[in-house]
Amino acid sequence: MAQDAQRVAIVTGAARGIGAATARRLAADGMAVAVLDLDEATGAGTVDAITASGGRAFDVSQADQVEAAVGKVAAELGPPAVLVNNAGVIRDNLIFKMTENDWDTVLGVHLRGAFLMSRATQKHMVDQRFGRIVNLSSSSALGNRGQVNYSAAKAGLQGFTKTLAIELGPFGITANAVAPGFIVSDMTAATAARIGMPFDDFQAAAASQIPVRRVGQVEDVAHVISFLCSEGSGFVSGQVIYVAGGPLC
């Protein structure tokens, strides 16, 4: 991974879960990692974990605007070459109970956020003639009861990814999406709580339906993202990779 040693990565939603695991993994790969999350205190914890293990990391939490955050990263660590659009929220409900704010919040964070971050970072990647963009989709893109907003956002990210791959490919930039299935996280715990099921029972029920007979861990997703951000993934672009323990359709 020597060629990645000087590269700078931005991971959004990196305070916990998949984002934190990805930030740690990319730092272990030799990248300098900028951690961006609305939860400043927890985001700082991710930075501390990376620096404690000898990596380089920088906290851009609470930046007022995306352009300002990306500019801060470029000034402190160097021009970003890798972007992982992981930031996300859920506002689950059946459609007849879902509010317009539930819809707008989820679509705004997932889709508008990925658009703004990608637009701000791609110019740095174009200048370097190298870039890796990974967008976090989900198996919910295929449809999931109680998540019409989240499903729409995650399906939209897949189309967004494919178009980025077409537009940015000539500049040495790849764009791919990773779509996790059941991953043990705060989000899946929140879903279990919403339906009134103990989280352990919820995981066991999910594992029984997964071909590998276990639920996923955040590290499972981080490993795939690591490959897609590497030098060796340069001929993989515009793809959606389901990290779900088996085929979904």
Side-chain angles (χ1 to χ4, degrees):
M1 298 294 293
Q3 293 188 19
D4 287 336
Q6 302 303 313
R7 290 197 174 123
V8 174
I10 298 177
V11 182
T12 70
R16 58 175 63 84
I18 291 171
T22 298
R24 292 192 300 267
R25 176 59 198 243
L26 295 183
D29 289 342
M31 298 186 191
V33 181
V35 171
L36 198 160
D37 200 285
L38 291 176
D39 187 339
E40 186 171 7
T42 314
T46 302
V47 171
D48 290 344
I50 290 171
T51 54
S53 62
R56 294 175 63 211
F58 179 61
D59 187 0
V60 289
S61 300
Q62 300 290 351
D64 291 337
Q65 297 182 17
V66 168
E67 291 285 349
V70 173
K72 197 173 181 182
V73 172
E76 294 286 336
L77 291 180
V82 171
L83 171 64
V84 180
N85 282 312
N86 169 74
V89 296
I90 55 172
R91 296 290 187 273
D92 293 353
N93 227 325
L94 296 175
I95 190 167
F96 75 94
K97 295 180 180 179
M98 186 171 289
T99 67
E100 291 178 13
N101 186 62
D102 291 337
W103 175 270
D104 291 342
T105 297
V106 171
L107 272 290
V109 171
H110 291 269
L111 284 175
R112 189 170 188 270
F115 159 67
L116 292 174
M117 287 299 303
S118 299
R119 186 178 66 178
T121 56
Q122 56 83 30
K123 54 193 173 188
H124 295 284
M125 299 177 189
V126 169
D127 288 344
Q128 297 172 79
R129 306 296 293 188
F130 177 93
R132 299 285 186 264
I133 298 175
V134 179
N135 299 312
L136 267 292
S137 181
S138 168
S139 59
S140 292
L142 302 175
N144 194 36
R145 179 179 172 83
Q147 290 193 318
V148 68
N149 49 2
Y150 188 75
S151 295
K154 292 305 193 181
L157 279 171
Q158 296 188 11
F160 175 72
T161 297
K162 292 177 183 293
T163 302
L164 283 182
I166 294 168
E167 291 188 7
L168 300 178
F171 304 99
I173 302 167
T174 65
N176 292 284
V178 173
F182 191 107
I183 304 296
V184 176
S185 68
D186 290 345
M187 280 192 175
T188 47
T191 300
R194 175 175 61 85
I195 65 175
M197 180 182 289
F199 194 32
D200 286 346
D201 294 345
F202 192 52
Q203 293 180 62
S208 70
Q209 302 299 313
I210 298 172
V212 299
R213 291 299 187 269
R214 70 171 177 89
V215 294
Q217 303 296 323
V218 292
E219 290 79 12
D220 293 317
V221 184
H223 287 312
V224 177
I225 295 172
S226 171
F227 166 70
L228 293 174
C229 294
S230 71
E231 183 78 24
S233 68
F235 204 56
V236 180
S237 194
Q239 303 305 305
V240 179
I241 300 176
Y242 285 88
V243 184
L248 297 178
C249 60

